[in-house]
Amino acid sequence: MEHTEKKTEENATTVTQFFFLGFSELPSLQGFLFGMFSIMYVIILIGNGFIIVIVKIDPALQKPMYFFLVNFSLLEICYVSVTLPRILYNLWTQDRTICLLACAIQMFFFLILAATECFLLAVMSYDRFVAVCHPLHYPVVMNPAKCTQLAAGSWLGGIPVQIGQTCQIFSLHFCNSNRIEHFFCDVAPILKLACGDTSVHELSVYLVAVLFVASPFMMILASYTRIIATVLKLPTGKGRAKAFSTCSSHLLVVVLFFGSATINYLRPKSIHSAGTDELLSLFYTIVTPMFNPLIYSLRNKEVIAALRRLLLKI
């Protein structure tokens, strides 16, 4: 018995690096995947960078809604840059190893930025709620100081909890294997490699997911319930259409992000599979950030008008 425990402990200390299995089952498509992800990364950088630049230089877009949109675009660039460059490196070099510290750092920043996105989407829904339901008070309520505080709170609010969660996960011993069934250091695949009973850790991860995913989503739901009730009371169809158009882009982004994140993190463990987890993670870590600039630019008349003014100047 003592010999078995000692052997398990020795095995636990030997894991100093992990090995990503994500996309390794597609050896003939490595070059294609590298090219596809490279194009997607460039689109994300250019699309979100374009929104940041055009909001900064166009006086007509100096509004709270676009202040939060700049924060959101900057967040998307950071969020994708935590995982995608590493994926590209793995595909290009076929070196899929990552040391324990680098894995912990990647998970920490991924969790922090994911929490920021949840909070920021909730703040953006609150901005739309005030604009639609209390238009006369909007300039006073959403003043520059309040907007800065809400944005700062979104960026910093999840840091203490995610520091604790990351430290908790990487304080575990890893003895089952060092092969991660994923393309980045996500919580669930790492916990699978830990020794012993991890049910307490899984429960804490679930509770944090509820806190950072379900709570902001409920705030968004409450905001849009009030928005829809207010819009339906407007006397003209033109007024209702204008009010809905200002919210439709944000609502679409909310559905895409929260839909895939909720399915991935809050579904029962019994129906998890490596392939499904990879596909869902790919959707909300790369695909959604790629579509967000298109959603906000093509569905927003003010952004399109600002683009036309910029092209005329050029």
Side-chain angles (χ1 to χ4, degrees), residues 23-24 26-35 90-91 94 96:
F23 308 120
S24 61
L26 304 169
S28 61
L29 296 177
Q30 299 297 292
F32 170 77
L33 290 172
F34 177 83
N90 293 344
L91 291 170
Q94 293 300 302
R96 300 177 182 274

Side-chain angles (χ1 to χ4, degrees), residues 138-151:
Y138 183 68
V140 178
V141 175
M142 302 304 293
N143 58 72
K146 180 71 169 291
C147 291
T148 303
Q149 291 169 2
L150 288 171

Side-chain angles (χ1 to χ4, degrees), residues 1-306:
M1 179 71 177
E2 290 179 0
H3 175 72
T4 304
E5 289 178 354
K6 185 176 179 182
K7 186 176 180 181
T8 301
E9 187 175 344
E10 288 174 356
N11 287 342
T13 59
T14 58
V15 177
T16 58
Q17 62 181 15
F18 295 113
F19 183 86
F20 290 117
L21 295 179
F23 308 120
S24 61
E25 71 280 7
L26 304 169
S28 61
L29 296 177
Q30 299 297 292
F32 170 77
L33 290 172
F34 177 83
M36 181 182 70
F37 287 135
S38 297
I39 293 170
M40 294 172 80
Y41 193 35
V42 170
I43 291 173
I44 291 167
L45 294 178
I46 292 175
N48 287 286
F50 159 76
I51 287 179
I52 294 171
V53 170
I54 201 168
V55 170
K56 288 295 184 182
I57 65 175
D58 196 297
L61 300 182
Q62 304 309 306
K63 303 176 183 178
M65 174 182 176
Y66 297 106
F67 169 77
F68 293 124
L69 183 55
V70 165
N71 276 268
F72 189 71
S73 295
L74 179 61
L75 170 65
E76 293 292 63
I77 291 173
C78 298
Y79 183 63
V80 171
S81 296
V82 170
T83 57
L84 197 43
R86 181 75 202 195
I87 295 171
L88 293 174
Y89 173 81
N90 293 344
L91 291 170
W92 180 257
T93 63
Q94 293 300 302
D95 178 11
R96 300 177 182 274
T97 58
I98 184 171
C99 71
L100 209 67
L101 178 61
C103 189
I105 291 172
Q106 185 186 54
M107 179 185 289
F108 169 70
F109 280 105
F110 173 77
L111 293 176
I112 286 292
L113 294 171
T116 301
E117 181 147 356
C118 293
F119 290 147
L120 197 54
L121 286 170
V123 166
M124 293 169 78
S125 71
Y126 174 71
D127 171 70
R128 292 297 84 208
F129 159 72
V130 177
V132 174
C133 300
H134 304 284
L136 297 179
H137 300 288
Y138 183 68
V140 178
V141 175
M142 302 304 293
N143 58 72
K146 180 71 169 291
C147 291
T148 303
Q149 291 169 2
L150 288 171
S154 298
W155 283 93
L156 303 176
I159 290 179
V161 175
Q162 300 300 2
I163 287 176
Q165 180 165 271
T166 305
C167 291
Q168 182 190 48
I169 291 171
F170 282 90
S171 66
L172 296 169
H173 291 296
F174 300 99
C175 57
N176 294 331
S177 171
N178 71 335
R179 302 170 79 81
I180 302 174
E181 295 181 343
H182 216 324
F183 53 81
F184 72 99
C185 293
D186 203 358
V187 175
I190 296 296
L191 282 177
K192 285 182 181 179
L193 307 181
C195 306
D197 182 18
T198 60
S199 57
V200 175
H201 298 279
E202 290 169 8
L203 178 61
S204 69
V205 169
Y206 190 84
L207 292 175
V208 169
V210 169
L211 176 66
F212 289 118
V213 177
S215 298
F217 183 74
M218 293 305 292
M219 292 173 60
I220 293 169
L221 192 62
S223 296
Y224 274 101
T225 301
R226 294 286 301 277
I227 288 171
I228 292 170
T230 301
V231 169
L232 292 177
K233 293 177 183 177
L234 294 176
T236 64
K238 186 177 181 180
R240 288 193 292 270
K242 184 179 179 181
F244 275 126
S245 68
T246 62
C247 305
S248 59
S249 298
H250 175 258
L251 193 56
L252 183 56
V253 170
V254 166
V255 171
L256 289 173
F257 177 77
F258 277 99
S260 54
T262 300
I263 293 171
N264 198 29
Y265 283 100
L266 299 182
R267 64 199 165 106
K269 183 181 176 181
S270 58
I271 60 173
H272 274 259
S273 69
T276 306
D277 289 350
E278 281 187 33
L279 186 62
L280 287 169
S281 298
L282 194 66
F283 190 80
Y284 69 82
T285 57
I286 300 175
V287 176
T288 301
M290 183 179 69
F291 282 123
N292 287 348
L294 296 175
I295 292 169
Y296 274 109
S297 57
L298 295 180
R299 296 177 62 85
N300 191 302
K301 293 180 180 179
E302 288 183 316
V303 173
I304 293 173

